[in-house]
Amino acid sequence: MEEQLIGPLLLARGTIDRSSALRADAAWLERAWAAPTTRVLVIQDGQTLVRRTGDEVRAVLFGPDEAPPGERYLLGVEGDVAYFAVAASLPGAATGDVNGRVTVPMSLLDAPEGETFAAGLRQAGGLLGDRDAGLLVYAVALEAWHSAHEYCPRCGSRTEVRAGGHIRVCPRDSSQHFPRVDPAVIMLVRDRDDRCLLARGPQWPEGRLSILAGFVEPGESLEHAVIREVAEEVGVQVANPRYLGSQPWPFPRSLMLGFFAEALTTTLTPDAEEIAEARWFSREELAEALASGEVRLPPPVSIARRLIETWYGEHLTGDW
């Protein structure tokens, strides 16, 4: 049976045209920046400003004349509106940690209406609408790449931002450097009894479980990465990796490629450096563990949660 993902991949949404053909047009970029219809998302350490309006959470967007100075990144165009991100200090709101976990002491849906808060993707990504979620994921990824690539890897000179934030050019040797993503496979492994394999890393507290994942190595296919990672992490042999979907995960620059895989063996031999605990769960066992609080699952914003719910057959509770 071919599975269909239950629910949307919340960080894989977006409505704007990325308009790559316009990035090299310096005159157009200047006109777009000066246009009164242009909207700017300010990004600082992976966070932006958001505001609750009724039952919605929206990104706070500025006009070009209101935005603080900083590096500009063209995010795209929708109709007659151009969207930019600016990497700068967030105006008028206190920020939390760089992962957006502690900015406000409550759910954003419970935050005072009309007030502005700083939030990151983990906190706000699943609450924003399609347009704003797409803008924030894009801006977070570009900001993270630029912050780590200020200098030329060939000669060490400070590079310059070009093409609407999509190239850095070395003024000394003229080399061009482009944003990159790191592909990572994430896989739900199930055995012949249709049990699901969940695990946790040594850095996670007890009860915080997810599915296995790992980066694709040079010269490796996605399918081989699935097979290798499962064998390395828990000693299980798998076959028939089947792709279900992908989602950007810009922490700082991953692209998560989701798979189901069939276990040929079930004996678990966790790699102590990678895995602190690994267990097989039937649907009944997982439901009981969630109800008792023994197990907590990744948040709905993650592709891991979508893969688990797809196997289970419906939405689950029990977030981290």
Side-chain angles (χ1 to χ4, degrees):
M1 181 180 67
E2 293 294 328
E3 292 85 0
Q4 297 292 323
L5 284 172
I6 290 181
L9 294 171
L10 294 175
L11 299 188
R13 297 174 293 150
T15 62
I16 64 166
D17 181 346
R18 293 196 171 204
S19 308
S20 59
L22 297 173
R23 296 170 187 168
D25 189 336
W28 182 89
L29 289 171
E30 288 303 315
R31 289 197 304 272
W33 181 256
T37 55
T38 289
R39 290 295 172 263
V40 181
L41 183 146
V42 182
I43 188 78
Q44 179 186 11
D45 296 329
Q47 294 188 321
T48 195
L49 298 179
V50 298
R51 182 180 297 131
R52 182 176 76 84
T53 303
D55 294 331
E56 295 184 339
V57 175
R58 298 179 180 176
V60 177
L61 302 177
F62 298 88
D65 57 337
E66 303 170 307
E71 288 187 349
R72 300 179 198 167
Y73 315 139
L74 174 66
L75 301 180
V77 175
E78 185 177 43
D80 61 353
V81 180
Y83 292 93
F84 287 82
V86 167
S89 296
L90 298 178
T95 61
D97 69 46
V98 296
N99 293 315
R101 290 187 291 245
V102 296
T103 305
V104 291
M106 62 190 78
S107 165
L108 285 171
L109 290 177
D110 297 325
E113 186 166 2
E115 291 192 20
T116 299
F117 297 95
L121 281 171
R122 286 187 174 93
Q123 186 179 32
L127 303 176
L128 296 170
D130 290 353
R131 184 203 66 180
D132 288 358
L135 291 173
L136 182 54
V137 171
Y138 199 179
V140 168
L142 284 174
E143 183 205 27
W145 181 78
H146 280 283
S147 67
H149 293 80
E150 292 183 74
Y151 297 93
C152 176
R154 295 183 179 182
C155 68
S157 298
R158 189 178 183 88
T159 54
E160 300 171 351
V161 178
R162 304 279 181 82
H166 292 78
I167 301 176
R168 295 191 76 99
V169 177
C170 177
R172 181 176 180 182
D173 62 23
S174 300
S175 59
Q176 296 182 341
H177 308 279
F178 299 85
R180 294 288 188 267
V181 295
D182 297 327
V185 290
I186 183 165
M187 43 277 177
L188 185 140
V189 178
R190 54 187 185 183
D191 67 6
R192 289 188 174 90
D193 295 325
D194 205 19
R195 296 183 300 170
C196 171
L197 177 60
L198 299 180
R200 67 178 177 90
Q203 72 277 20
W204 296 352
E206 290 188 15
R208 180 182 289 185
L209 301 182
S210 186
I211 54 180
L212 302 178
F215 287 105
V216 181
E217 294 186 346
E220 185 176 47
S221 71
L222 301 178
E223 292 79 8
H224 282 139
V226 169
I227 294 168
R228 174 185 55 78
E229 283 288 346
V230 177
E232 289 178 355
E233 293 191 349
V234 294
V236 170
Q237 303 300 312
V238 300
N240 301 324
R242 287 179 291 112
Y243 173 76
L244 271 80
S246 67
Q247 171 166 280
W249 193 248
F251 302 109
R253 55 183 170 273
S254 298
L255 175 67
M256 306 301 294
L257 301 137
F259 287 83
F260 272 18
E262 300 172 10
L264 303 178
T265 62
T266 56
T267 300
L268 299 174
T269 310
D271 178 344
E273 293 187 0
E274 297 282 344
I275 303 296
E277 175 187 5
R279 296 166 57 186
W280 292 102
F281 287 87
S282 67
R283 290 174 178 79
E284 294 75 17
E285 290 168 340
L286 181 58
E288 291 174 2
L290 291 172
S292 68
E294 177 188 359
V295 168
R296 298 185 301 280
L297 295 179
V301 75
S302 68
I303 191 172
R305 178 64 165 267
R306 289 290 174 253
L307 293 171
I308 294 169
E309 291 179 334
T310 297
W311 162 78
Y312 188 83
E314 61 183 79
H315 291 296
L316 294 164
T317 58
D319 299 356
W320 290 352

